[in-house]
Amino acid sequence: MEAEFYLRATTGKGISDTDAGMDAGRVVGGHEAQFKDKAIREFIEETAENELAHVRFYRKTLGRNAISRPAIDFDAGFKAAAQAAGLPADFDPFADDMSVLLGGMLFEDVGVTAYAGAAPLLKKKEFVQAAAGILAVEAYHMGMARSQLYMMGEKAWEAANAISDARDKIDGTPEKEDEGIRLDGKANFVPSNPDAIAFHRTPQEVLHIVYLTEKAGVSKGGFYPNGMNGELRST
């Protein structure tokens, strides 16, 4: 989903049929953004390249076990996410610099916590090492998005924190605190626990967010109208 999002924002097109897999689902929504800041465009272009490289790495490493891309609906997903966060009903994450960064933050923060939470599930040492490397790249992306949004001022602070609050509400774990980009009246560049360790989420908690539901036992919705492919499908 991250590769599709960033490629559409920078090129207007998603990943190729070859990279999507044999039985790839359809992707709805997305268009090239109207970037105003050259540096931010370059940041997002690099992020798109990284995410596409991750897709290709997974396909190469997993071989016949690699799943095809599930159906993705950016239109319905972001509309529901905006409603949950109290953002304007016409919020378009592909509109401009701030919008793309806000859309990216929705994914990147979750990606970091997802890799951290999935680490105990990996049994092969080489997979743990690869996952740690990918987590680091996702954290770089997250830091870029959060820092750039913070420098955009109060409007960006409020929108980013609203997204954080919405994630906190629907991830199914009220005891885990999501953190926005402004906390206690100052910048919150690194969301982490008191030991400065990144938060983690289980696969089910991640699915709560991408399906945009607080309910348990849900296997589709939000950004994934037909659910995930593979074994981990349900909240």
Side-chain angles (χ1 to χ4, degrees):
M1 182 164 67
E2 291 182 353
E4 293 288 356
F5 175 76
Y6 291 118
L7 285 170
R8 279 168 163 70
T10 55
T11 70
K13 299 178 181 179
I15 64 178
S16 70
D17 292 342
T18 301
D19 291 321
M22 292 290 292
D23 301 310
R26 182 179 174 225
V27 179
V28 176
H31 58 83
E32 187 171 359
Q34 298 298 310
F35 291 100
K36 297 178 181 177
D37 188 306
K38 182 175 182 290
I40 291 179
R41 170 178 269 283
E42 290 178 358
F43 294 157
I44 301 301
E45 286 174 342
E46 181 178 8
T47 302
E49 292 171 1
N50 292 163
E51 299 299 355
L52 179 57
H54 289 167
V55 170
R56 290 172 173 170
F57 171 78
Y58 280 128
R59 303 208 71 81
K60 176 182 67 177
T61 303
L62 297 174
R64 288 181 297 177
N65 292 321
I67 64 167
S68 296
R69 178 189 63 209
I72 299 171
D73 192 335
F74 285 123
D75 288 345
F78 277 112
K79 182 177 181 180
Q83 182 177 11
L87 299 178
D90 60 351
F91 172 68
D92 177 7
F94 299 94
D96 52 27
D97 307 52
M98 184 189 298
S99 302
V100 173
L101 290 169
L102 287 169
M105 178 189 158
L106 175 65
F107 302 139
E108 298 297 349
D109 277 339
V110 177
V112 172
T113 61
Y115 275 101
L121 305 178
L122 301 176
K123 298 178 181 179
K124 292 186 178 182
K125 182 178 180 180
E126 61 268 31
F127 288 176
V128 174
Q129 184 176 35
I134 294 175
L135 187 155
V137 171
E138 297 296 332
Y140 278 125
H141 295 168
M142 181 186 76
M144 177 277 295
R146 293 173 73 95
S147 62
Q148 292 300 313
L149 283 167
Y150 191 83
M151 290 189 289
M152 289 180 175
E154 190 169 354
K155 182 178 179 180
W157 302 345
E158 292 177 353
N161 280 22
I163 290 173
S164 173
D165 290 342
R167 284 194 308 237
D168 201 25
K169 182 180 178 181
I170 66 175
D171 69 4
T173 55
E175 70 277 8
K176 288 185 180 179
E177 290 292 331
D178 201 294
E179 292 184 359
I181 64 174
R182 188 167 174 82
L183 186 65
D184 297 329
K186 59 183 179 179
N188 188 46
F189 181 67
V190 181
S192 60
N193 70 16
D195 297 315
I197 297 174
F199 299 111
H200 66 272
R201 286 186 172 97
T202 67
Q204 287 70 34
E205 291 163 359
V206 172
L207 290 176
H208 273 288
I209 294 173
V210 297
Y211 289 166
L212 296 169
T213 180
E214 301 175 55
K215 298 179 181 178
V218 176
S219 58
K220 63 181 180 179
F223 290 95
Y224 292 95
N226 300 326
M228 291 285 189
N229 292 337
E231 296 183 13
L232 298 173
R233 297 177 55 90
S234 180
T235 59

